[in-house]
């Protein structure tokens, strides 16, 4: 989905699966007119939605599409097992953070070699599907993080949506009381917490390739201050992103950091009148830098060029402006074509902040590539140690850099 780490891939490759992915061979289905897809659409509604779009394209091309869906945290290991038995699907849909691990094996086709269209996509979306300058995956929609707020609670407290860190801290203090915290975010020791920390870390100038350069310390300091002010619950070290949304919907948080995947739940409830703003930045005039999240569709190498071309045709069709826009509407994610994203923002003004953020968001793997899993683990250790009072921001990031460099 939006923030899943790539540890299963890294572990498997380290164990010798590189060769297996490079020998993808035959696809799972022998029918030459059937394109097979491995993805994580195990939810019935999501699977059905996916199939509707696949069928839309398949009918135009005289093809059929069959999905094999497994839980998100099992896609990478399933793909490697299938690769080793020469039965990998024609299309492999991965979390964007996992793509470098697979591309490094040499088992994926460069999309340029297959003629898959590259124009009109946002720079951030192109980065999400790229490895060492080559495009291996295409995302038809993407997501990021923003600040949700409870309109009624802010109005009652006379607070406007904060735009800077000082305003965020002041607003969170004013909104705290009567069983409600001013702000909620996830600081869990996993991909959810890391994903939520990155907008603060990056907006402060933090560099994931040099965790100890001092620039990211302010972000840790802000999170520490918010907890010390009692404007944020100490329990955030255990909350995932769904827990954060639950707190917000229950009225126990006036603001929260979260993504557009929460919109279906928020839209279905009647307790909270909510709106979305950009995540505050350190100072007025600063640029909000959020992570781009989502899945990318790739084409594994095969000994059958016709199958690869059929897969490429499906990808091109799924990513026409109309299909991207329709898919974005169906999933509350932002189209990755810039023109479609603008239309999406016009049609969904409540989510316009996401459309703007996604166009400038950063890929987690753009700077560190296959080292991202180790960097992500190091960052989670840093904010966990700071929020639980075991370390200062400076010491935490120095230790995190050593940990990331060691790849542990």
């Amino acid at each position: 989905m939006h923030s899943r780490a790539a540890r299963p891939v890294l572990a498997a490759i380290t164990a010798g699966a590189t060769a297996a992915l490079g020998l993808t061979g035959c696809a799972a289905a022998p029918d030459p007119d059937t394109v097979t897809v491995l993805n994580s659409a195990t939810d019935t509604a999501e699977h059905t939605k996916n199939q509707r779009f696949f069928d839309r394209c398949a009918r135009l091309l005289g093809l059929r599409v069959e999905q094999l869906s497994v839980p998100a945290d099992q896609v990478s290991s399933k793909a490697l097992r299938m690769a080793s038995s020469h039965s990998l699907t024609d299309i492999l849909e991965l979390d964007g953070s996992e793509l470098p691990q697979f591309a490094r094996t040499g088992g994926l086709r460069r999309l340029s070699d297959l003629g898959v269209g590259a124009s009109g996509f946002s720079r951030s979306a192109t980065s999400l599907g790229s490895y060492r300058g080559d495009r291996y995956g295409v995302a038809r929609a993407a997501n990021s993080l923003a600040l949700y707020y409870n309109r009624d609670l802010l109005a009652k407290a006379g607070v406007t949506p904060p735009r800077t860190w000082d305003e965020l801290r002041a607003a969170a203090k004013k909104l705290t009381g009567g069983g409600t915290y001013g702000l909620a975010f996830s600081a869990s020791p996993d991909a959810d917490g890391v994903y939520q920390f990155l907008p603060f870390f990056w907006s402060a100038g933090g560099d994931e390739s040099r965790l100890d350069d001092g620039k990211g310390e302010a972000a840790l300091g802000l999170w520490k201050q918010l907890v010390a002010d009692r404007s944020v619950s100490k329990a955030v070290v255990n909350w995932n992103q769904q827990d954060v949304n639950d707190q917000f919907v229950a009225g126990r948080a006036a603001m929260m950091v979260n993504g557009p995947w929460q919109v279906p739940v928020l839209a279905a409830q009647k307790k909270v009148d909510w709106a979305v703003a950009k995540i505050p930045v350190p100072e007025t005039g600063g640029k909000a830098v959020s992570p781009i999240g989502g899945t990318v569709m790739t084409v594994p190498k095969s000994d059958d060029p016709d199958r690869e071309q059929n897969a490429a045709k499906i990808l091109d069709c799924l990513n026409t402006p109309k299909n991207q826009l329709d898919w974005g509407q169906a999933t509350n994610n932002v189209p990755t074509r810039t023109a479609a994203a603008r239309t999406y923002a016009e049609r969904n003004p409540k989510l316009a902040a996401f459309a703007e953020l996604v166009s400038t968001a950063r890929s987690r793997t753009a700077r560190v590539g296959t080292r991202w899993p180790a960097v992500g683990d190091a960052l989670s250790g840093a904010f966990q140690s700071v929020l639980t009072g075991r370390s200062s921001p400076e010491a935490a990031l120095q230790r995190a850099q050593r940990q990331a460099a060691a790849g542990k």
Side-chain angles (χ1 to χ4, degrees), residues 158 205 263 286 321 346 373:
V263 169
E346 292 167 2

Side-chain angles (χ1 to χ4, degrees), residues 16-234:
T18 299
L21 192 61
L23 296 171
T24 49
C26 307
D31 181 356
D33 295 324
T34 297
V35 175
T36 54
V37 181
L38 174 61
N39 61 22
S40 60
T42 53
D43 176 79
T44 301
E46 183 184 1
H47 191 92
T48 302
K49 211 175 288 180
N50 256 313
Q51 195 63 49
R52 189 164 69 244
F53 280 82
F54 283 134
D55 289 346
R56 178 190 291 187
C57 287
R59 280 194 297 270
L60 290 173
L61 298 166
L63 300 169
R64 292 179 63 250
V65 175
E66 292 181 356
Q67 296 181 81
L68 171 61
S69 301
V70 299
D73 61 357
Q74 297 176 25
V75 170
S76 55
S77 56
K78 177 71 172 178
L80 289 165
R81 287 196 301 274
M82 293 180 76
S84 67
S85 62
H86 300 234
S87 60
L88 190 53
T89 52
D90 303 308
I91 293 173
L92 171 60
E93 187 168 5
L94 300 163
D95 186 88
S97 66
E98 295 177 341
L99 181 130
Q101 307 290 349
F102 277 91
R104 184 177 68 173
T105 69
L108 300 178
R109 283 286 180 214
R110 289 183 300 188
L111 296 186
S112 58
D113 293 342
L114 297 173
V116 175
S119 64
F121 289 83
S122 69
R123 184 179 300 178
S124 57
T126 299
S127 176
L128 184 67
S130 298
Y131 175 67
R132 292 186 173 176
D134 287 319
R135 191 164 168 257
Y136 291 94
V138 58
R140 51 184 165 158
N143 57 60
S144 193
L145 293 168
L147 184 75
Y148 287 83
Y149 59 94
N150 183 317
R151 287 179 182 271
D152 295 332
L153 291 181
L154 265 68
K156 185 177 179 181
V159 171
T160 57
R163 292 168 296 181
T164 66
W165 286 4
D166 284 345
E167 290 177 3
L168 176 64
R169 194 176 171 196
K173 276 185 178 180
K174 200 167 183 182
L175 291 163
T176 297
T180 297
Y181 285 98
L183 176 67
F185 53 74
S186 169
S188 55
D190 53 23
D192 272 14
V194 174
Y195 198 67
Q196 294 228 337
F197 180 61
L198 285 175
F200 299 93
F201 182 72
W202 280 342
S203 297
D207 182 346
E208 61 272 33
S209 67
R210 296 175 57 205
L211 299 177
D212 59 351
D213 67 0
K215 294 180 180 177
E217 292 172 16
L220 284 177
L222 173 68
W223 273 23
K224 182 178 181 180
Q225 287 175 333
L226 287 164
V227 172
D229 290 343
R230 298 185 180 179
S231 302
V232 168
S233 170
K234 291 181 180 179

